Amino acid sequence: MQPAPPDLEYGEPFNKAFDQIRAGVDLAVGGFNDIVAQVNEWAWLLGPAALLWIKRNLDAARRGLRSVLDRVEHAVAHQMPVLSLISMSFRWVTDVKTPVSQLSFAVTEPVDQNLAKWTGDAARAYADKATKQKAAVDESVLKAEFISQWLFKIAKANVDYAVELAKIVTNLAGKFAQAAVDAAAVINIPWAIDTLAESVGDIVTAGLDTLLHIGQRFVDALGNVRDIATQVGDHSKLPGGRWPEAVRG
């Protein structure tokens, strides 16, 4: 069995994370609505004081869920661009670095083996040209690798972000679903909602802190854009002073 292409190796977990996020959002929102419905059903028995206390805790849980949903909406909006970024990262390896690196040996190996016996000015001129060609090819390989790694760091940070966001949403969904079950009995409603508010607060605080660190990795990678501009803009060692056609196209 052939191993999965690298872009699928990272693209599939990324898409799977979004499937989990969508399912988790539906479950969390559904659980919250069920709890509100149960509170409304038993409002006459709970009384004004209890309802006020319950409302405060429900509002806290809702705010926590909303803060995560805001990040979900932003991540979903960027799902396709990130997939393209992952694909582009590996294309720099498969479509540029690999074929160009194969030229490194070819440009120094004479097609006609009799050329190896050359001597004199013609031989020196040929060797000098071949050396420059090899240096240009090797420089193209280094640039392709540099850019591929840069793109991959950005893509990897986005994949890690989506996977961590999926964990947060799934965890929240479980808490909301359990609270809805616990609140089915009117006597448990205050306790269930109090537990929910505390759990949501802990999950959101820890989760958003983790997302912040992952986001910083993304920002740090983007901060290297000046290095990328330098790599792309420096044509001094490239063959003919230009990037290969595969890159320009």
Side-chain angles (χ1 to χ4, degrees), residues 95-224:
D95 295 355
V96 182
K97 177 187 174 183
T98 299
V100 173
S101 64
Q102 293 170 348
L103 296 174
S104 183
F105 176 76
V107 297
T108 55
E109 184 69 11
V111 177
D112 185 345
Q113 294 302 315
N114 290 324
L115 294 178
K117 301 178 182 179
W118 277 11
T119 59
D121 293 341
R124 285 190 292 273
Y126 179 87
D128 181 64
K129 183 175 182 180
T131 299
K132 291 179 180 178
Q133 287 178 329
K134 184 179 187 305
V137 169
D138 291 346
E139 182 69 12
S140 296
V141 172
L142 290 175
K143 289 181 183 295
E145 174 65 17
F146 185 92
I147 294 171
S148 175
Q149 287 295 325
W150 180 69
L151 290 171
F152 178 75
K153 286 178 182 178
I154 295 174
K156 183 66 166 56
N158 278 276
V159 172
D160 291 346
Y161 188 96
V163 170
E164 185 60 33
L165 185 57
K167 293 178 183 178
I168 296 170
V169 171
T170 300
N171 203 356
L172 284 175
K175 298 300 182 183
F176 277 97
Q178 184 61 51
V181 171
D182 293 339
V186 62
I187 194 173
N188 289 333
I189 288 178
W191 169 80
I193 294 176
D194 179 54
T195 301
L196 174 66
E198 183 177 355
S199 298
V200 168
D202 292 342
I203 292 170
V204 171
T205 298
L208 296 187
D209 184 61
T210 300
L211 292 180
L212 180 63
H213 287 295
I214 297 175
Q216 187 59 50
R217 284 168 41 200
F218 173 77
V219 172
D220 290 343
L222 284 180
N224 291 328

Side-chain angles (χ1 to χ4, degrees), residues 222-239:
L222 284 180
N224 291 328
V225 67
R226 181 178 180 279
D227 295 334
I228 291 296
T230 299
Q231 289 289 328
V232 174
D234 180 12
H235 301 171
S236 60
K237 297 181 182 178
L238 295 179

Side-chain angles (χ1 to χ4, degrees), residues 62-98:
R62 179 184 56 80
R63 285 193 300 271
L65 178 60
R66 182 68 258 175
S67 66
V68 173
L69 292 182
D70 288 342
R71 285 159 177 77
V72 167
E73 291 172 2
H74 184 269
V76 169
H78 292 81
Q79 182 179 7
M80 291 307 298
V82 172
L83 286 172
S84 297
L85 191 64
I86 294 172
S87 177
M88 183 61 67
S89 170
F90 289 103
R91 282 189 61 192
W92 271 90
V93 175
T94 59
D95 295 355
V96 182
K97 177 187 174 183
T98 299

